[in-house]
Amino acid sequence: MDDSNQHLKHLLKQTDIAFKALMREPASRLLNEQYEKAKLELDSYTASLKHTLNQRHQRQRQR
């Protein structure tokens, strides 16, 4: 789980950096694309983590 936490922290940091850059230049198409990409990566990863945790929970309930 430690690797998962580190990856999550990395994605959060990347999203935060992209957001702050976009706020400095809100009309920038490139920065908007970078922010959207960072958000998508973060959302995908958190959805994957949620799915994994739900599977573990289901397995524990079946025991």
Side-chain angles (χ1 to χ4, degrees):
M1 191 65 143
D2 196 37
D3 288 339
S4 295
N5 287 342
Q6 290 300 328
H7 189 61
L8 181 58
K9 285 180 184 180
H10 172 75
L11 291 173
L12 287 166
K13 183 176 181 179
Q14 291 304 110
T15 304
D16 188 49
I17 290 168
F19 178 75
K20 287 177 181 175
L22 181 59
M23 290 299 97
R24 285 191 299 273
E25 293 183 55
S28 170
R29 183 176 173 183
L30 176 62
L31 294 176
N32 195 359
E33 289 172 2
Q34 289 174 346
Y35 174 62
E36 290 300 322
K37 181 181 177 197
K39 251 187 1 178
L40 180 61
E41 289 178 15
L42 178 60
D43 289 346
S44 295
Y45 188 69
T46 55
S48 174
L49 281 178
K50 183 178 178 182
H51 178 72
T52 300
L53 291 172
N54 284 338
Q55 283 182 327
R56 286 183 191 164
H57 183 69
Q58 289 294 330
R59 280 191 228 125
Q60 287 177 350
R61 290 175 67 191
Q62 292 174 352
R63 290 181 184 177

